[in-house]
Amino acid sequence: MPEIYSKYPMVKYLRKEALPTALCPGCGGGTVLNAFANAVDQLKLDPRDLVVVSGIGCSAWIASPYFLADTLHTTHGRAIAFATGVKVGLPDKKVVVISGDGDLASIGGNHLLHAARRNIDITVILVNNFIYGMTGGQVAPTTPFGAKTTTTPYRNIEHPLQISETIAAAGASYVARWTTAHVYQLIESIKKALTVKGFSLVEVISQCPVQFGRRNRMKEPAEMLRWFLKNSVPISKAKKMSPEELEGKFVIGEFVNRQRPEFTEELNKLIDEVQEHFGLKGGDDV
């Protein structure tokens, strides 16, 4: 192992044989990986108790191949569907999904919405870089109004999906949004998401200087980070602002933190009720 990695305290959570990463220089994926590893470390979670699921795209690589735990690298848009199956089959495992906005909120948007509605006990870290990065920089449902992409070369005329607000309204137990310029807050929210009972979402606004930044006059990663900081608005302040004032802003903070019945617990209660009704012993077929 190169000496540079041995000096990184979170390297024990990484697959050393997969380093260095294939992420583009300046990509926010490394920041998200670091934040997740720090959250796991601070909570003293055993990686053997984790199952980390990803879909397809640049952000899906954060979990697989780089994080050292049992991982599922699944088909495009279906990470949450796979994670739901894992949680129902192995309810004692801590199930985490890490993937991008194109994978989770576009192609997999239906799964995201209904997992939140069911309030199944999985944690989703959704990396939102406003674009389909791996496939060439096409417009996505999260692309800001007016932004340029390969498929909107003049400007995007659609307004972006507000992921955190939508998932909070759908019924999730915990929802937060931060940017890669708010690392300490991000780590704390990931820790909360990993410990809350029910569906939790941490949306991470992340830089993609290669596909998004260079087409929108932000070729350097630092320029995008400054853009995040300049346009981030705490949720407490955002509540007092009009939609016009919030145009082009990133509302950050915790959107919801509440207790609701959790899907797998309710499912197992139902199984017990049915078994009792029919006089079946535990483990017998219904």
Side-chain angles (χ1 to χ4, degrees), residues 54 116 136 180 204 214 221:
S54 65
T180 48
V204 189
R214 67 189 175 96

Side-chain angles (χ1 to χ4, degrees), residues 271 274-275 278 280 284-286:
I271 292 171
V274 173
Q275 287 181 335
F278 287 99
L280 300 174
D284 290 344
D285 291 336
V286 176

Side-chain angles (χ1 to χ4, degrees), residues 127-158:
V127 185
N128 181 0
N129 59 12
F130 319 117
I131 206 163
Y132 285 100
M134 182 175 283
T135 54
Q138 298 90 342
V139 70
T142 50
T143 302
F145 181 81
K148 294 180 179 180
T149 72
T150 55
T151 48
T152 57
Y154 298 104
R155 64 182 176 91
N156 178 32
I157 60 171
E158 299 178 8

Side-chain angles (χ1 to χ4, degrees), residues 10-246:
M10 296 299 111
V11 75
K12 59 187 175 182
Y13 296 108
L14 305 183
R15 297 185 188 275
K16 302 176 187 66
E17 66 275 15
L19 299 175
T21 75
L23 302 173
C24 298
C27 173
T31 301
V32 178
L33 176 59
N34 179 57
F36 178 61
N38 270 275
V40 169
D41 187 68
Q42 291 177 26
L43 290 172
K44 294 180 172 55
L45 297 178
D46 187 340
R48 290 174 294 185
D49 294 328
L50 293 172
V51 178
V52 190
V53 185
S54 65
I56 298 298
C58 301
S59 300
W61 284 46
I62 295 170
S64 171
Y66 301 123
F67 195 80
L68 184 57
D70 288 329
T71 56
L72 290 175
H73 205 139
T74 70
T75 50
H76 206 357
R78 307 297 177 242
I80 290 175
F82 278 85
T84 297
V86 172
K87 187 63 185 181
V88 170
L90 301 170
D92 293 333
K93 292 294 184 182
K94 186 77 68 176
V95 181
V96 182
V97 175
I98 306 177
S99 212
D101 55 296
D103 187 65
L104 294 177
S106 177
I107 295 170
N110 192 45
H111 297 299
L112 176 64
L113 186 68
H114 291 293
R117 178 184 61 82
R118 294 185 183 104
N119 202 36
I120 188 165
D121 188 24
I122 61 177
T123 295
V124 174
I125 301 173
L126 189 154
V127 185
N128 181 0
N129 59 12
F130 319 117
I131 206 163
Y132 285 100
M134 182 175 283
T135 54
Q138 298 90 342
V139 70
T142 50
T143 302
F145 181 81
K148 294 180 179 180
T149 72
T150 55
T151 48
T152 57
Y154 298 104
R155 64 182 176 91
N156 178 32
I157 60 171
E158 299 178 8
H159 288 272
L161 174 68
Q162 299 299 326
I163 296 172
S164 290
E165 291 86 342
T166 300
I167 299 309
S173 285
Y174 182 83
V175 177
R177 178 195 287 131
W178 297 103
T179 81
T180 48
H182 298 87
V183 178
Y184 292 107
Q185 298 94 324
L186 174 58
I187 292 172
E188 290 303 312
S189 277
I190 293 175
K191 287 164 61 177
K192 288 183 181 180
L194 288 169
T195 53
V196 74
K197 177 67 71 174
F199 188 85
S200 56
L201 170 78
V202 178
E203 180 186 359
V204 189
I205 303 296
S206 180
Q207 72 273 19
C208 176
V210 173
Q211 296 288 19
F212 184 85
R214 67 189 175 96
R215 293 185 175 90
N216 292 277
R217 299 183 178 180
M218 292 179 287
K219 294 182 180 180
E220 298 297 327
E223 293 179 88
M224 294 200 72
L225 291 173
R226 286 192 289 268
W227 178 50
F228 293 164
L229 290 171
K230 181 180 179 180
N231 291 283
S232 292
V233 179
I235 191 169
S236 57
K237 183 178 179 181
K239 291 177 179 178
K240 303 173 185 177
M241 297 170 65
S242 67
E244 292 75 20
E245 291 174 316
L246 288 172

